[in-house]
């Protein structure tokens, strides 16, 4: 399993953001993480990526315990946060090259091509629109072809053609064996590509089902 | 192999807009130094007090540089905005540490020279060697604090993560999240430790000038401690630099929970706003977004109080004036958190904004003045009144610049503030 979350919980004082959730994600799986606002999606993702220390339980990414060795685990992890931060004084090409350099590997042209940044790759990021910044963050996440890719609301702010392009890129890396977790509110997106849906509610797993059962989740949202 | 993080720092330096703030401050310090004869350089006209005056001045200036470097190094290594960018990637901690250290070095190297510039009139009194040694003390204070600060801040991450220190942190944290307690007390500890070292260094100036060998040991002691600290900080970076991000996320998340339950009346001075909306907005922004400012002003007030309690009213006035007039900078800073388009959308009038920020500056500044008023009753009260007038002017300038000169407000305000600080001390 590329991702293994076991009895994961996160508490802030008496407030429980995530309670005792467990799941595993295999190579080549595309998992949609859905749920209403405040369901615990972002907290779960932050624990998966080692950004937040769980109050209980553990997370393994490709066999590495993220609570103990987040820096090692990130070697095989690409992550796009909800609000990606980038070096504004670099161009997208320089930013992606930098990521490839610190990761020790990476196909820069492939990442640029896949995310459709080609023509704008040499402009400084500070001149970019929100959508282009997000595409740059996605390119940074995939450039080293990690075994696990986690995206938190990564499609927000993208125009429909860009969404199509990015989804196409994600599908391509999934077919190469990458495990993908995409947190989103747009259920239609998942219908096309996801191989599994996990719905969180009040910090717990409400449903863990196939995309064909999305209608149940839609009803929950309504 | 070149350090990729350092390559980034160089690119940032080349591509960022050049800022002249440091140079302007240096020039202003040189220009204002002759006016500080009655306060900082009082010993020039009293040969019996020359050496003790120089030693005292060296200690204060080096402590000031040290304090500024301690806060900056915390900002650079712990709260660096790069964590947001690099947090999703594997990091090579020692290379990143090296780049961050060099970045802080380049950012702050001019500070000891700024402080030394305040004492240049010593040269007019043929105190060449003394001035040279004073410059050296400031340099030692800066460099040692840079190194010690890095070790203490990384050490605070270790303490925040350590199970064994949990009980101690819980005992001292007050309303703060446990991990935050380590970060709050770390700069204080660094400052205290550095203060002791700089005291030894500064008060060995007389011995150094008389070429007494033991004095040289105390003189270079902070530097030696600094070098050793840097060695250990470099080693500690391997295990603590990356996990600091998770500790900070924990602290921020807990603050968010605390903020949600915080009552509206918890905003400092909010009761004064009544139905004045802009004033209320400025107070809330100041307290919730820029709390370090009012708390920093209280810190200066505390220093002033302690100095006055010890009978040194001159030093008390210095801290009070520095905190009160310097604290008025918050007016300019507020405009950065309050974009023009938002004010236009809310249809806020410039005059309303001006008065709101003016009152915030003036009222916050009282935190550095009120603690010494009790000691200045009688004929000395005129000195407090002069500082109050300087604060009124500074608050007015800061509020004006925050409304009508948003982009370069800070550049114009800082020289004016320095001038007013010295005016208040005359």
């Amino acid at each position: 399993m590329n991702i293994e979350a076991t009895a994961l919980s996160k508490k802030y004082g008496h407030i429980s953001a995530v309670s005792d959730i467990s799941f595993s994600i295999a190579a080549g799986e595309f998992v949609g993480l859905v749920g209403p606002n405040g369901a615990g999606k972002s907290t779960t993702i932050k624990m998966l990526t080692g950004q937040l220390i769980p109050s209980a339980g553990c997370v393994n990414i490709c066999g590495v315990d993220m609570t103990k060795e987040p820096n090692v685990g990130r070697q095989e992890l690409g992550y796009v946060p909800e609000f990606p931060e980038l070096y504004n004084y670099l161009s997208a090409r320089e930013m992606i090259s930098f990521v490839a350099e610190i990761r020790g590997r990476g196909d820069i042209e492939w990442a640029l091509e896949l995310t459709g940044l080609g023509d704008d790759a040499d402009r400084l990021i500070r001149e970019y629109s929100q959508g282009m910044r997000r595409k740059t963050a996605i390119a940074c996440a995939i450039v080293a072809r990690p075994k696990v890719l986690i995206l938190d609301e990564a499609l927000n702010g993208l125009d429909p053609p860009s969404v199509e392009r990015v989804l196409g890129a994600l599908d391509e890396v999934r077919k190469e064996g990458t495990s993908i977790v995409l947190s989103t509110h747009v259920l239609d997106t998942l219908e096309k590509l996801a191989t599994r849906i996990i719905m969180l509610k009040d910090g717990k797993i409400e449903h863990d089902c196939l995309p064909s059962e999305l209608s149940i989740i839609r009803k929950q949202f309504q | 192999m070149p350090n990729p993080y350092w390559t980034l720092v160089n690119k940032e330096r080349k591509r960022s807009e050049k800022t002249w703030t440091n140079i302007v401050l240096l020039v202003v310090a040189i220009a204002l130094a002759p006016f500080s004869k009655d306060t900082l350089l009082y010993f020039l006209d009293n040969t019996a007090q020359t050496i003790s005056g120089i030693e005292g001045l060296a200690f204060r200036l080096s402590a000031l540089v040290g304090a500024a470097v301690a806060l900056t190094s915390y900002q650079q290594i712990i709260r660096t905005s790069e964590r947001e960018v690099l947090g999703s990637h594997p990091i090579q901690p020692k290379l990143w540490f090296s780049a961050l250290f060099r970045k802080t070095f380049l950012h702050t190297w001019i500070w000891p020279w700024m402080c030394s510039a305040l004492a240049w009139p010593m040269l007019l009194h043929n105190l060449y060697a003394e001035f040279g040694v004073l410059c050296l003390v400031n340099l030692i204070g800066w460099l040692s604090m840079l190194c010690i600060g890095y070790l203490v801040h990384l050490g605070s991450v270790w303490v925040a993560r350590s199970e064994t220190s949990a009980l101690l942190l819980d005992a001292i944290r007050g309303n703060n999240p446990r991990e935050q307690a380590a970060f709050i007390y770390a700069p204080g500890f660094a400052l205290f430790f550095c203060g002791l070292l700089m005291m030894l260094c500064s008060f060995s100036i007389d011995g150094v000038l008389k070429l007494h060998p033991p004095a040289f040991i105390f003189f270079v002691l902070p530097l030696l401690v600094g070098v050793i600290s840097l060695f250990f900080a470099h080693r500690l970076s391997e295990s603590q630099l990356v996990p600091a991000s998770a500790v900070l996320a924990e602290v921020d998340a807990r603050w968010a929970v605390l903020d949600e339950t915080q009552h509206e009346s918890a905003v400092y001075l909010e009761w004064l706003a009544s139905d004045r909306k802009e004033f209320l907005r400025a107070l809330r922004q100041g307290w919730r977004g820029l709390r370090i400012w009012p708390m920093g002003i209280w810190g200066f007030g505390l220093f002033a109080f302690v100095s006055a309690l010890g009978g040194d009213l001159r030093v008390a006035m210095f801290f009070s004036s520095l905190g009160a007039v310097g604290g008025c900078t918050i007016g300019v800073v507020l405009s950065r958190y309050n974009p023009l388009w938002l004010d236009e959308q809310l249809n806020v009038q410039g005059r309303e904004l001006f008065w709101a920020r003016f009152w915030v500056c003036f009222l916050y500044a009282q935190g550095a003045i009120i603690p010494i008023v009790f000691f200045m009753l009688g004929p000395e009260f005129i000195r407090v009144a002069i500082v109050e007038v300087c604060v009124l002017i500074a608050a007015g300038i800061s509020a004006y610049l925050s409304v009508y000169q948003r982009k370069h407000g800070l550049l114009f305000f800082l020289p004016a503030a320095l001038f007013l600080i010295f005016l208040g001390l005359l």
Side-chain angles (χ1 to χ4, degrees):
Chain A
M1 289 292 167
N2 278 353
I3 303 175
E4 279 185 290
T6 314
L8 215 50
S9 295
K10 185 69 198 172
K11 284 186 177 178
Y12 300 109
H14 60 279
I15 298 171
S16 185
V18 171
S19 327
D20 195 23
I21 62 170
S22 300
F23 57 86
S24 314
I25 298 171
E29 268 197 284
F30 189 132
V31 176
L33 193 62
V34 299
N37 293 335
K41 301 189 296 290
S42 289
T43 305
T44 303
I45 280 181
K46 281 180 181 164
M47 287 193 283
L48 291 180
T49 55
Q51 315 271 316
L52 211 53
I53 305 158
S55 305
C58 68
V59 175
N60 279 294
I61 297 286
C62 300
V64 179
D65 187 341
M66 290 300 282
T67 54
K68 290 182 181 153
E69 295 178 292
N71 211 26
V72 179
R74 280 179 199 140
Q75 289 286 355
E76 292 303 340
L77 172 69
Y79 169 51
V80 182
E82 188 176 359
F83 304 105
E85 291 290 338
L86 302 161
Y87 289 114
N88 288 326
Y89 51 85
L90 296 183
S91 66
R93 189 186 302 280
E94 287 173 330
M95 179 78 213
I96 297 162
S97 305
F98 167 72
V99 171
E101 191 179 354
I102 59 172
R103 283 181 175 265
R105 62 182 198 269
D107 188 341
I108 298 148
E109 293 308 320
W110 169 79
L112 284 170
E113 177 63 31
L114 217 59
T115 48
L117 275 165
D119 294 341
D120 297 301
D122 294 310
R123 278 171 54 206
L124 294 185
I125 291 171
R126 65 175 168 228
E127 297 166 8
Y128 279 11
S129 66
Q130 205 55 40
M132 284 164 71
R133 292 175 67 90
R134 207 170 277 278
K135 281 195 256 184
T136 309
I138 293 169
C140 288
I142 62 174
V143 66
R145 296 180 187 253
K147 289 182 181 161
V148 174
L149 195 54
I150 297 178
L151 307 100
D152 191 359
E153 306 282 359
L155 305 179
N156 289 2
L158 294 182
D159 54 45
S162 297
V163 170
E164 288 301 316
R165 186 165 198 125
V166 169
L167 287 176
L170 294 181
D171 198 37
E172 191 176 323
V173 292
R174 185 192 66 80
K175 283 174 185 159
E176 289 175 6
T178 302
S179 305
I180 299 176
V181 178
L182 172 65
S183 145
T184 181
H185 286 102
V186 188
L187 299 181
D188 293 344
T189 305
L190 298 175
E191 204 159 27
K192 292 176 199 162
L193 291 173
T195 55
R196 188 173 149 201
I197 312 283
I198 295 177
M199 182 185 179
L200 294 178
K201 194 178 176 188
D202 298 329
K204 292 177 181 162
I205 295 180
E206 185 88 352
H207 293 286
D208 189 342
C209 57
L210 295 170
S212 54
E213 297 167 77
L214 256 176
S215 55
I216 303 168
I217 291 171
R218 280 207 172 90
K219 277 182 193 164
Q220 293 265 342
F221 264 95
Q222 283 161 7
Chain B
M1 183 188 133
N3 180 340
Y5 305 97
W6 179 240
T7 309
L8 281 187
V9 174
N10 279 327
K11 279 187 179 158
E12 183 185 13
R13 282 164 60 82
K14 277 179 194 158
R15 294 176 183 175
S16 302
E17 207 173 307
K18 293 278 176 290
T19 169
W20 295 94
T21 310
N22 278 339
I23 301 294
V24 169
L25 285 176
L26 181 65
V27 171
V28 171
I30 292 169
L32 290 178
F35 299 102
S36 63
K37 213 170 171 183
D38 287 340
T39 50
L40 295 177
L41 304 170
Y42 62 93
F43 53 84
L44 289 179
D45 294 327
N46 187 346
T47 48
Q49 287 188 327
T50 303
I51 285 298
S52 62
I54 291 172
E55 287 179 339
L57 178 64
F59 172 61
R60 283 171 206 152
L61 292 178
S62 60
L64 188 67
V65 174
V69 172
L71 288 173
T72 306
S73 57
Y74 172 73
Q75 201 64 39
Q76 297 273 7
I77 195 167
I78 301 294
R79 283 281 175 188
T80 171
S81 55
E82 286 189 69
R83 285 192 184 280
E84 301 288 325
V85 187
L86 295 172
S88 30
H89 306 289
I91 293 169
Q92 293 152 289
K94 287 192 170 173
L95 291 180
W96 192 31
F97 172 88
S98 164
L100 287 172
F101 183 83
R102 286 193 269 178
K103 190 177 176 182
T104 317
F105 184 99
L106 289 176
H107 181 65
T108 59
W109 69 269
I110 204 165
W111 294 359
W113 299 109
M114 274 183 207
C115 283
S116 301
L118 287 169
W120 76 262
M122 285 169 67
L123 298 173
L124 299 177
H125 289 71
N126 298 325
L127 296 169
Y128 300 114
E130 289 82 353
F131 180 70
V133 174
L134 183 128
C135 291
L136 268 179
V137 171
N138 285 334
L139 273 175
I140 290 171
W142 162 70
L143 200 53
S144 56
M145 195 59 213
L146 189 61
C147 303
I148 295 168
Y150 264 70
L151 176 64
V152 171
H153 298 318
L154 284 173
S156 66
V157 179
W158 177 78
V159 171
R161 296 173 68 215
S162 161
E163 291 289 327
T164 50
S165 58
L167 273 176
L168 173 71
L169 292 178
D170 277 339
I172 59 174
R173 71 192 173 101
N175 285 332
N176 302 294
R178 178 192 291 168
E179 295 82 358
Q180 178 73 7
F183 293 126
I184 288 174
Y185 290 101
F189 174 77
L191 275 176
F192 175 73
F193 187 60
C194 184
L196 286 180
L197 288 171
M198 290 320 297
M199 198 180 278
L200 290 173
C201 175
S202 306
F203 292 103
S204 65
I205 286 180
D206 189 26
V208 168
L209 289 168
K210 288 173 181 162
L211 301 177
H212 289 165
F216 283 92
I217 296 171
F218 291 118
F219 193 72
V220 297
L221 188 64
L223 212 50
L224 289 176
V225 175
V227 171
I228 294 167
S229 299
L230 186 61
F231 171 75
F232 283 109
H234 191 245
R235 293 189 64 170
L236 205 56
S237 68
E238 183 78 45
S239 58
Q240 306 301 330
L241 191 56
V242 175
S245 298
V247 176
L248 289 174
E250 194 77 14
V251 168
D252 292 343
R254 284 176 188 271
W255 270 124
V257 174
L258 285 175
D259 280 351
E260 276 172 18
T261 54
Q262 200 174 39
H263 196 262
E264 288 290 274
S265 65
V267 172
Y268 176 48
L269 298 175
E270 197 182 56
W271 58 277
L272 286 169
S274 62
D275 59 346
R276 283 169 291 181
K277 286 180 192 165
E278 276 316 303
F279 184 30
L280 187 60
R281 183 159 72 118
L283 281 173
R284 284 177 177 171
Q285 282 179 334
W287 186 242
R288 291 177 181 160
L290 300 162
R291 195 170 301 183
I292 190 80
W293 286 87
M295 292 179 85
I297 294 169
W298 294 345
F300 277 102
L302 185 66
F303 281 132
F305 178 78
V306 172
S307 304
L309 205 62
D312 198 341
L313 291 182
R314 188 186 291 128
V315 176
M317 284 302 297
F318 173 73
F319 281 123
S320 186
S321 183
L322 194 65
V325 178
C328 288
T329 314
I330 192 173
V332 184
V333 178
L334 270 172
S335 70
R336 295 189 172 185
Y337 290 81
N338 210 355
L340 184 61
W341 65 263
L342 182 62
D343 289 338
E344 284 173 355
Q345 288 298 312
L346 295 173
N347 198 23
V348 181
Q349 302 297 313
R351 208 174 58 142
E352 279 179 276
L353 269 181
F354 171 85
W355 284 112
R357 289 174 189 166
F358 171 84
W359 284 115
V360 167
C361 293
F362 182 74
L363 291 169
Y364 277 9
Q366 302 313 307
I369 298 174
I370 290 171
I372 60 161
V373 169
F374 177 74
F375 301 94
M376 311 291 272
L377 298 174
E380 294 286 335
F381 192 74
I382 186 73
R383 295 171 69 182
V384 177
I386 291 172
V387 172
E388 283 289 15
V389 171
C390 292
V391 168
L392 277 171
I393 298 169
I397 295 172
S398 180
Y400 180 84
L401 292 171
S402 77
V403 179
Y404 302 107
Q405 189 50 258
R406 287 169 184 256
K407 199 173 175 190
H408 301 295
L410 206 57
L411 191 63
F412 290 118
F413 180 74
L414 289 177
L418 265 180
F419 178 77
L420 287 165
I421 288 167
F422 280 91
L423 197 67
L425 292 175
L426 283 178

